[in-house]
Amino acid sequence: MAPRIPLPPLGRGQPERPVAVLDVGTSKVSALIALIGGDGTPRIIGSGQKPCMGLKRGTVTDFDKAEMAIRGAMDQAERAAGMQMDSVIASFAAGNMGSSMASAEIDIAGASITPTDMVTLRQAGRAAIDPRNRSVVHALPALYTLDGLPGVESPLGLHADRLGMDIHVVTADTPAIMNFTRAVAQSHLGISTLVASPLAASLAVLDDEERDIGVALIDIGAGMTSIAVHKFGIAVGVATVPMGSADITDDIAAAFDTKRSNAERLKTFDGAAVATIRDQTDPVIIPPNIEDGSVEARKVPRAQLVGVIRTRLELLFGEISKALSGLGFVGPQARRIVLTGGGSDLRSIADFAGSYLGCNVRIGRPRGLNGLPVAQEGPAFATLAGLVLFAQGDPGDVWHTQVTSEAPSLRRGFGGVIEKLWGSL
């Protein structure tokens, strides 16, 4: 795997520089080239998109087909931007991606916390991470503690006997990452940074207050649904569900004996997550599976189509509910959900999700960029837009920082971090 090169935060007044981002999904590959720096707001100067047939559930299954889609999307973006890019920041959601927490603590002996102490703590944090034969995608400081008191945002200058840090570690299966990076490399591109898809999407659709109070982002893609839980302004857990909007399409195709392309149109234009009274009588036309004229199209009440869709949604949100519970997103403060991804374009899905999960639900669309093409302003492109925002201010990563000395006192494990975040305040 190519070395990760963290990008320094860019403030106002600094020169603009180009960055390329790539979102490789089950159904499509999307690319953007943006200028970051300058006035602080990224400017999109090139975009591209191609259908993708080389992935299944976010995992590369055909190198040649994946390469073709990546090359096509990047070529479109490069032509529009008038420049060629050597490396990209890419999203990743496969490989059974999941979260754990690592914790470290050092002695301060009542002194004021200095930058040197923070470096020592980061060294301790890196030593506390045990990927267990998996690859670390992120290792981001999630929570600082002073003498066991959680929720400290900036400990510099404060006095304490002990300074601790909980680290949000995102890992994935190494073979899945290796296959992904090979597919990108075959397109003659290097990967400067891999970014967990739900964390990227969160940057594009969540606001600061939501992150602080507590929110779960649910990104429904074609083959995968990814989840990121936030609290106290930070991401504290991610999970994936190997199911997405393409499963709805397949269910429609099977239920009504029609082609996938017809089923996709039925889902998009006639489908919904919640039935209305009119759906009992309003018909939808089901094109035949064989289009040689030997079989006629038939009509069924729209309610039947909605019923097929709801059956799959109940399966999907059942798995989402389990994942949220596993991430500790429970209790009175866990009541905000933001849906994004192409699957969230389904009519009335926010109402369905709110009823099923017992939460307040809204649809998240990307924001915070200048010049984003109209065709990429929808929730299906939240991850793509979030990658640009990640490039603008790459957070400090404990695992991918060089460590030169042995850490002091360490402790490992999930260790009650979720309880600290979601317990009584």
Side-chain angles (χ1 to χ4, degrees):
M1 179 178 174
R4 302 264 305 256
I5 307 172
L7 300 172
L10 294 173
R12 295 180 181 274
Q14 296 189 21
E16 287 185 325
R17 64 180 176 86
V19 63
V21 301
L22 188 68
D23 181 23
V24 182
T26 300
S27 64
K28 70 181 186 305
V29 174
S30 303
L32 289 177
I33 297 176
L35 294 176
I36 58 177
D39 66 356
T41 302
R43 291 192 297 121
I44 306 303
I45 59 173
S47 66
Q49 179 180 328
K50 287 291 183 180
C52 184
M53 302 295 291
L55 281 81
K56 186 176 180 63
R57 306 292 181 197
T59 299
V60 175
T61 55
D62 188 309
F63 284 116
D64 292 337
K65 291 180 180 179
E67 175 194 349
M68 186 181 302
I70 293 169
R71 279 178 179 268
M74 280 302 302
D75 183 64
Q76 286 182 347
E78 288 173 337
R79 288 178 182 273
M83 63 178 66
Q84 188 170 0
M85 305 299 291
D86 296 324
S87 64
V88 295
I89 296 174
S91 65
F92 188 77
N96 298 308
M97 192 171 65
S99 282
S100 63
M101 285 286 178
S103 301
E105 190 173 69
I106 62 174
D107 292 327
I108 304 297
S112 176
I113 298 168
T114 66
T116 300
D117 294 323
M118 298 301 294
V119 171
T120 303
L121 182 63
R122 289 173 66 87
Q123 293 171 348
R126 191 184 195 283
I129 297 171
D130 180 10
R132 298 183 181 181
N133 298 318
R134 284 162 60 88
S135 290
V136 176
V137 182
H138 297 287
L140 305 176
L143 189 69
Y144 292 103
T145 61
L146 294 181
D147 297 330
L149 178 67
V152 179
E153 292 184 7
S154 180
L156 274 175
L158 300 177
H159 290 260
D161 290 322
R162 303 184 319 280
L163 170 64
M165 176 175 64
D166 293 309
I167 305 161
H168 178 210
V169 182
V170 180
T171 61
D173 294 337
T174 300
I177 292 181
M178 293 178 66
N179 288 333
F180 179 81
T181 55
R182 176 183 163 185
V184 177
Q186 286 188 187
S187 306
H188 302 289
L189 291 167
I191 296 179
S192 60
T193 309
L194 276 182
V195 182
S197 293
L199 298 186
S202 296
L203 293 175
V205 304
L206 300 182
D207 60 38
D208 291 341
E209 182 173 298
E210 286 175 326
R211 291 191 187 94
D212 187 57
I213 293 176
V215 64
L217 176 126
I218 300 172
D219 184 350
I220 306 175
M224 293 285 292
T225 295
S226 54
I227 301 164
V229 170
H230 298 255
K231 181 64 176 175
F232 292 150
I234 55 177
V236 296
V238 302
T240 55
V241 174
M243 196 185 305
S245 60
D247 293 287
I248 299 175
T249 301
D250 288 349
D251 289 350
I252 294 171
F256 297 109
D257 191 24
T258 189
K259 290 185 176 181
R260 275 196 176 116
S261 57
N262 297 328
E264 182 67 25
R265 285 193 293 270
L266 286 166
K267 179 183 72 176
T268 302
F269 297 108
D270 295 303
V274 177
T276 65
I277 295 177
R278 290 187 57 182
D279 290 337
Q280 300 294 332
T281 55
D282 285 356
V284 294
I285 298 175
I286 308 295
N289 192 22
I290 300 174
E291 298 179 351
D292 60 1
S294 61
V295 181
E296 294 185 357
R298 57 197 178 96
K299 295 180 181 180
V300 301
R302 183 180 284 109
Q304 288 189 22
L305 174 64
V306 175
V308 172
I309 292 172
R310 283 183 62 93
T311 298
R312 173 58 65 174
L313 287 179
E314 287 170 359
L315 292 173
L316 173 60
F317 278 89
E319 294 302 311
I320 290 172
S321 179
K322 293 176 185 177
L324 290 174
S325 179
L327 293 174
F329 191 75
V330 295
Q333 296 176 13
R335 288 291 180 266
R336 292 192 181 195
I337 298 283
V338 176
L339 295 181
T340 195
S344 67
D345 270 330
L346 180 66
R347 182 161 52 94
S348 67
I349 192 171
D351 294 333
F352 175 90
S355 175
Y356 192 98
L357 298 174
C359 295
N360 300 306
V361 178
R362 70 172 179 87
I363 304 298
R365 293 174 172 79
R367 54 197 178 189
L369 303 178
N370 288 332
L372 189 66
V374 174
Q376 294 179 330
E377 290 180 346
F381 299 93
T383 295
L384 185 68
L387 289 171
V388 177
L389 297 173
F390 183 95
Q392 185 187 29
D394 191 7
D397 192 296
V398 173
W399 182 259
H400 300 285
T401 299
Q402 186 68 32
V403 178
T404 58
S405 64
E406 185 63 28
S409 133
L410 309 176
R411 42 195 179 84
R412 287 186 171 89
F414 219 39
V417 175
I418 294 297
E419 286 78 3
K420 294 178 190 176
L421 294 172
W422 296 98
S424 300
L425 297 179

